[in-house]
Amino acid sequence: MTEDRQHPVLQYIINNPEAFAQNLAKTLENAGKALAAYLEPREKGEVKQDGTDELTNIIKTLAQVGEYWISDPERAVAAQTRLMNGYITLWNSSLKRMMGEATEPAACPPSRDKRFADPDWENNQYFDFIKQLYLITSKWAEDLVLDAKDLDEHTRHKAEFYVNQISNALSPSNFLMTNPELLRLTVESNGENLVKGMQHLVEDIRAGHGDLKIRQTDMSKFSLGENLGLTPGKVIAQNDVCQVIQYEPTTPQVLKRPLMIVPPWINKFYILDLTPEKSFIKWCVDQGHTVFVISWVNPDARQAEKSFEHYMKEGILNTLDIIKKATKQEEVNAIGYCVGGTLLAVTLAYMAATGDKRIASATFFTTQVDFTFAGDLKVFVDEEQISMLEKKMAEQGYLDGSKMASAFNMLRSNDLIWSYVVNNYLKGKDPFPFDLLYWNSDSTRMPAANHSFYLRNCYLENNLAKGKMEVGGQRLDLSKVTIPIYNLATREDHIAPPQSVFLGSSCFGGPVNYVLSGSGHIAGVVNPPAKHKYQYWTGATPKGDLGDWLDAATENAGSWWPHWDAWIREQDGEEVKARKPGANRVKILEDAPGSYVRAKA
């Protein structure tokens, strides 16, 4: 019986029809509960149906692609012919395979595509045919966008992004009857996976208060202050915008210049203080840095009018005052991560305009100051979409954290959306506990005024790079920033592409050390030396073309962290006696990681 079960067809036949029927009934019952969980808050008026504008924008964009091809009969026939030729090639190769002939596939997925890893995507002709049919069709749809010559660049970018999202959603790997692994699992478990999957779906819709909040990890396995954010420190100041944390020294001597870290407010700062083994903050403390971190508030309607200027003055500039009081030092080294780095760059330009020299060196992690090549996030930025977003933010004073999380997840939808849909709701499995994904799910809100200014001045108009941005009554000119800069990019970054960071290096007026790390926006930054992972490239002054720079660059194994620490010491390596939080009559408010970072969106 076991040998018979290995037959390619028999392994997909239900073993226990009665148990399967019972589980199918339970699955349908849970599906009804999921629908009820979705409808209930809408019937009560707690959730507004606000997806119409987004859908309209998608349809209008794709309609422009369709109009290009349909407007010319010859073009339309050529497009249809290309698709039919692909199908005919697939049909011919399939017939040859059925007759036992060796044949090359009509379409193959990229080697890094994890969706089709199961052997039956290739060994079983039924699933192989479906896979190739999907690949041919999705490639044809992508080519329709790329070959539509009358589209402006922004419309083409949006259309390409939307087609990719639709293509990813319609992959046969996402459906029970067209995924061999799912089908086998369902047969072997008599449908128990579907019962558990629907239970997960009910729980995730309820957790999202009527919207689907896809779990990416087991959230119960992590807690701030217990197994994340453990580096000892104290909150020594707070206001409506942020808390300031000073960390306990672990060395008798420390660098004279304190270190101020400006994290993004789009996410929470403890990405730099996950487990002790991964913590950049702990590592810096252990190297002899006096570390101060800005922990941004998780805003609500009270922060609706907090702008970029408020975040600069009440965040960075106020923290510089606090650091001076705590350490009696005028000069600091500063780090800015992602949008925190953009704010730091804005602050540096403002300080240059006002003669403030307290920041002696600046380090940027995956930071954009020139948004010409800002990547797929530009898909969401045009006058129409920003106006719609501003209208929604005006209703409650902030952008809900789930909206930003969804946008970031869509940049890698196969990895961050559909793989979890398959795992959680079709396989019925619990996601693996992973601290990074816990952090990724711990979203934050965006103040309306701040977010609107950021989108318009950076993504839409690129005013910072053009020298047209005005903050605090000053017109900002990055070329006036002449302090040494360490500019870190990551090679696989979807949020701050390395080309964008490279181009931004030329905006500054002083020496810029451009460093390119392996991996992406998070893993390329959070890469402790002890892990011996990835690599980084160092090279000449970042001018000209990134490809030419990389061709001449030196590849170095492992983490860039020691390289950065050596660079910091080259600026000023003088050491003094270690400083503890609470010195110089600075009041201690609470233990790190503080209360602001614990607030849930």
Side-chain angles (χ1 to χ4, degrees), residues 46-220:
E46 297 171 357
V47 174
K48 294 183 179 180
Q49 299 283 12
D50 60 357
T52 306
D53 291 337
E54 287 87 347
L55 184 59
T56 300
N57 188 276
I58 293 171
I59 292 173
K60 285 169 59 178
T61 301
L62 296 181
Q64 292 183 59
V65 178
E67 184 180 353
Y68 171 81
W69 292 102
I70 295 173
S71 62
D72 185 333
E74 187 175 342
R75 275 203 300 257
V77 170
Q80 294 175 26
T81 301
R82 285 204 304 271
L83 180 62
M84 293 310 300
N85 286 341
Y87 289 163
I88 291 170
T89 301
L90 173 60
W91 183 252
N92 288 336
S93 66
S94 297
L95 287 177
K96 290 180 179 179
R97 181 175 175 179
M98 288 177 65
M99 292 185 291
E101 295 184 34
T103 180
E104 290 293 323
C108 294
S111 59
R112 298 181 63 181
D113 194 337
K114 301 176 183 178
R115 295 175 297 175
F116 305 109
D118 188 277
D120 268 7
W121 284 114
E122 183 175 343
N123 298 337
N124 186 298
Q125 189 167 358
Y126 165 73
F127 294 112
D128 187 38
F129 182 86
I130 291 175
K131 175 192 70 178
Q132 293 187 62
L133 187 69
Y134 163 75
L135 293 172
I136 290 170
T137 307
S138 59
K139 179 65 166 59
W140 173 79
E142 292 169 7
D143 288 343
L144 285 184
V145 176
L146 296 175
D147 295 339
K149 297 177 182 178
D150 291 351
L151 297 182
D152 64 89
E153 196 55 40
H154 181 63
T155 301
R156 186 190 309 280
H157 192 183
K158 288 201 297 182
E160 186 179 359
F161 182 81
Y162 295 147
V163 165
N164 186 253
Q165 296 303 314
I166 295 169
S167 174
N168 290 345
L170 295 178
S171 170
S173 58
N174 297 335
F175 300 94
L176 176 63
M177 296 305 295
T178 54
N179 184 325
E181 184 183 7
L182 292 177
L183 199 53
R184 282 199 310 273
L185 178 62
T186 303
V187 168
E188 292 168 359
S189 69
N190 295 311
E192 288 184 8
N193 58 306
L194 302 180
V195 177
K196 293 178 181 177
M198 284 299 104
Q199 289 174 344
H200 289 163
L201 184 63
V202 173
E203 293 167 3
D204 289 355
I205 293 176
R206 287 174 177 167
H209 305 290
D211 291 326
L212 179 60
K213 185 177 181 179
I214 300 175
R215 66 182 86 180
Q216 296 177 324
T217 187
D218 187 344
M219 301 292 283
S220 67

Side-chain angles (χ1 to χ4, degrees), residues 222 226-231 270-284 286 435 525-533 559 561:
F222 301 100
E226 293 183 12
N227 55 5
L228 296 176
L230 299 180
T231 303
Y270 68 90
I271 185 59
L272 297 175
D273 190 28
L274 291 170
T275 61
E277 296 78 21
K278 296 179 181 178
S279 173
F280 177 76
I281 291 173
K282 180 182 184 302
W283 186 86
C284 287
D286 291 342
D435 52 7
V525 174
V526 184
N527 182 26
K531 296 289 185 180
H532 303 291
K533 293 179 68 175
S559 173
W561 291 10

Side-chain angles (χ1 to χ4, degrees), residues 368-421:
Q368 297 178 100
V369 295
D370 187 318
F371 288 75
T372 303
F373 303 115
D376 283 342
L377 280 177
K378 293 188 77 171
V379 165
F380 303 105
V381 181
D382 51 44
E383 184 58 47
E384 182 180 7
Q385 292 185 87
I386 291 179
S387 296
M388 288 190 302
L389 188 62
E390 288 173 336
K391 182 179 178 181
K392 292 177 183 177
M393 290 193 296
E395 296 175 359
Q396 53 190 8
Y398 58 85
L399 177 67
D400 189 80
S402 63
K403 304 299 183 184
M404 284 300 300
S406 296
F408 284 125
N409 287 340
M410 287 175 69
L411 299 182
R412 294 173 53 205
S413 58
N414 278 332
D415 293 331
L416 296 178
I417 297 177
W418 297 112
S419 65
Y420 291 102
V421 169

Side-chain angles (χ1 to χ4, degrees), residues 404-600:
M404 284 300 300
S406 296
F408 284 125
N409 287 340
M410 287 175 69
L411 299 182
R412 294 173 53 205
S413 58
N414 278 332
D415 293 331
L416 296 178
I417 297 177
W418 297 112
S419 65
Y420 291 102
V421 169
V422 171
N423 182 79
N424 300 354
Y425 312 132
L426 295 177
K427 291 184 180 179
K429 294 182 179 180
D430 292 315
F432 184 78
F434 189 18
D435 52 7
L436 183 58
L437 290 175
Y438 173 88
W439 168 84
N440 190 57
S441 300
D442 192 6
S443 57
T444 58
R445 296 177 286 262
M446 301 293 111
N450 177 303
H451 200 53
S452 176
F453 181 92
Y454 177 55
L455 293 179
R456 286 191 174 279
N457 279 272
C458 294
Y459 278 94
L460 185 61
E461 299 171 4
N462 202 17
N463 284 336
L464 182 58
K466 293 177 180 177
K468 296 181 179 180
M469 182 183 287
E470 292 189 8
V471 175
Q474 300 291 333
R475 177 165 287 217
L476 306 182
D477 184 354
L478 289 176
S479 68
K480 303 297 184 184
V481 177
T482 58
I483 62 173
I485 287 174
Y486 189 101
N487 204 12
L488 178 79
T490 56
R491 193 160 189 175
E492 299 171 19
D493 201 331
H494 297 272
I495 297 169
Q499 183 183 9
S500 184
V501 178
F502 185 86
L503 179 63
S505 298
S506 61
C507 293
F508 298 100
V512 178
N513 189 1
Y514 179 83
V515 176
L516 182 64
S517 170
S519 196
H521 192 74
I522 303 300
V525 174
V526 184
N527 182 26
K531 296 289 185 180
H532 303 291
K533 293 179 68 175
Y534 311 126
Q535 70 280 84
Y536 65 96
W537 289 264
T538 55
T541 301
K543 293 181 179 179
D545 179 72
L546 173 60
D548 294 337
W549 180 91
L550 190 55
D551 287 341
T554 301
E555 181 175 341
N556 308 273
S559 173
W560 54 269
W561 291 10
H563 180 266
W564 166 81
D565 184 61
W567 179 85
I568 285 287
R569 293 173 190 277
E570 288 175 6
Q571 314 312 314
D572 188 343
E574 184 179 352
E575 295 186 347
V576 297
K577 185 179 179 181
R579 309 119 163 169
K580 293 185 178 181
N584 300 315
R585 298 183 180 180
V586 172
K587 186 178 180 181
I588 292 175
L589 302 181
E590 59 179 318
D591 290 336
S595 55
Y596 281 21
V597 74
R598 299 178 191 272
K600 298 294 183 180

